[in-house]
Amino acid sequence: GVVGRGRFPYYGRCFISDKRAEGSSQAKPILSILALMLLCVACILTNNSTLMLRPENWVAWIHSPACTVVNWSEPTIVPRYLHFLVASIAVGGLVHAAMAQWGKKKSADSSLADEKITRGLRWFRHATIVQIIVGVWFFLSIPQEVRKVFMGGSAIATTTLILALAGAVFLLVLAYRKQVWALCAVTATQVLVMVVVRDILRDLMLAPYLSIVDSPQEIAQSATPPLALAEGQHIAFGFFLFCTALAVFLIVWMARAVLKSMREHNMQKAGVASIVEE
């Protein structure tokens, strides 16, 4: 259902491009509707991710006639949603600046490119500052025993949290200095660090329901009977690997098709220009 809802905004984006090309006034209202739809999809995905961490709430989902449960009792749902939403705004601003930086040498008007770079980095800076505030809120909303693990209870968890905080400050410094390519590299590294932080957080949240042998003492004390499977689902894992390989193949194929189309388009433009000059 979420995937189905997510298709409509992308179809609508193509429709908006046509409307803008025609100079239609319908583009902005439709764009607002599509943005609202994407925000709703993000909310649904956030809700599902919080349910993943709270198996005790699955019973309500099973008894729901429509099989829908909004996990409003989860204290992390709002800061988690804002955390990913604000991050997308920051990355969007960075992409805007990077594209302007990339095309600056080919652009006849460098002042316009500089303006786009400044605007994109301004989005990135403001979103990153808000992200730090939301991140503190998110951290304070997780259970106390999990927070203690990140605050000295585990060397790996504490180190990754420190790296994430230091990375956020470093990103702001690079953004203010307008070092676009260095900012892109550090942002990619920051995303990897945050993936590790999220993975550790998920394991700590699910530790009471899984094996508690390697769990921190604070988590193990509140452990419930484990819900882990006695053995792995080998067929499901094999199907996952097959789908992953297929997805990689399709992405590579589409990338090559796009590059080929761009080369042919550039060759056609060059041919038309040479004819005009003659």
Side-chain angles (χ1 to χ4, degrees), residues 180-229:
V180 178
W181 300 128
L183 185 60
C184 291
V186 176
T187 299
T189 305
Q190 179 77 344
V191 170
L192 293 177
V193 173
M194 293 305 300
V195 168
V196 176
V197 172
R198 181 180 180 274
D199 186 71
I200 295 174
L201 175 61
R202 181 192 60 208
D203 290 345
L204 291 174
M205 294 288 290
L206 290 176
Y209 308 95
L210 303 175
S211 174
I212 62 174
V213 175
D214 299 323
S215 300
Q217 185 176 2
E218 296 85 354
I219 305 294
Q221 289 176 352
S222 60
T224 59
L227 300 177
L229 297 174

Side-chain angles (χ1 to χ4, degrees), residues 6 19 38 55 129 171 178 181 199 207 220-221 224 240 266:
K19 289 297 181 181
L38 286 174
I129 293 172
L171 289 174
K178 296 185 177 181
W181 300 128
D199 186 71
Q221 289 176 352
T224 59
F240 167 77
N266 292 334

Side-chain angles (χ1 to χ4, degrees), residues 3-277:
V3 175
R5 293 180 182 91
R7 289 199 192 104
F8 292 106
Y10 296 108
Y11 297 154
R13 180 66 181 85
C14 299
F15 178 77
I16 288 174
S17 299
D18 294 338
K19 289 297 181 181
R20 282 181 173 175
E22 297 172 1
S24 174
S25 60
Q26 298 178 359
K28 288 185 178 180
I30 295 175
L31 182 61
S32 300
I33 295 174
L34 296 179
L36 181 62
M37 292 175 67
L38 286 174
L39 291 175
C40 291
V41 171
C43 185
I44 294 172
L45 291 173
T46 303
N47 178 73
N48 290 346
S49 66
T50 60
L51 283 174
M52 177 187 69
L53 301 177
R54 297 291 187 180
E56 68 270 18
N57 293 342
W58 296 355
V59 176
W61 176 76
I62 295 173
H63 291 294
S64 174
C67 292
T68 55
V69 173
V70 180
N71 198 25
W72 290 122
S73 61
E74 170 58 41
T76 66
I77 187 169
V78 176
R80 181 188 292 269
Y81 175 70
L82 294 177
H83 181 68
F84 293 110
L85 185 63
V86 175
S88 66
I89 296 174
V91 173
L94 179 58
V95 170
H96 184 74
M99 291 179 64
Q101 184 70 39
W102 179 267
K104 185 176 180 179
K105 294 182 179 179
K106 300 180 181 179
S107 177
D109 187 2
S110 60
S111 61
L112 179 60
D114 290 334
E115 181 182 347
K116 290 182 178 180
I117 293 171
T118 301
R119 181 169 59 244
L121 294 180
R122 184 169 60 248
W123 292 352
F124 183 88
R125 291 196 307 268
H126 293 170
T128 302
I129 293 172
V130 175
Q131 182 74 306
I132 294 174
I133 299 173
V134 172
V136 173
W137 179 14
F138 189 7
F139 184 72
L140 294 176
S141 66
I142 63 178
Q144 182 178 4
E145 59 272 13
V146 176
R147 289 203 305 270
K148 290 182 179 179
V149 177
F150 281 100
M151 298 178 68
S154 168
I156 296 177
T158 305
T159 301
T160 53
L161 181 61
I162 293 174
L163 289 175
L165 294 174
V169 175
F170 191 32
L171 289 174
L172 287 175
V173 173
L174 292 176
Y176 276 107
R177 292 184 176 181
K178 296 185 177 181
Q179 299 180 8
V180 178
W181 300 128
L183 185 60
C184 291
V186 176
T187 299
T189 305
Q190 179 77 344
V191 170
L192 293 177
V193 173
M194 293 305 300
V195 168
V196 176
V197 172
R198 181 180 180 274
D199 186 71
I200 295 174
L201 175 61
R202 181 192 60 208
D203 290 345
L204 291 174
M205 294 288 290
L206 290 176
Y209 308 95
L210 303 175
S211 174
I212 62 174
V213 175
D214 299 323
S215 300
Q217 185 176 2
E218 296 85 354
I219 305 294
Q221 289 176 352
S222 60
T224 59
L227 300 177
L229 297 174
E231 58 183 26
Q233 295 177 314
H234 304 295
I235 296 178
F237 183 66
F239 182 69
F240 167 77
L241 294 179
F242 169 77
C243 291
T244 302
L246 181 62
V248 171
F249 170 77
L250 291 175
I251 291 173
V252 172
W253 177 80
M254 288 188 294
R256 293 183 61 183
V258 170
L259 292 175
K260 181 180 178 181
S261 177
M262 292 175 62
R263 286 195 297 265
E264 292 176 351
H265 178 69
N266 292 334
M267 292 176 61
Q268 290 178 357
K269 287 179 63 178
V272 171
S274 62
I275 293 174
V276 171
E277 290 177 358

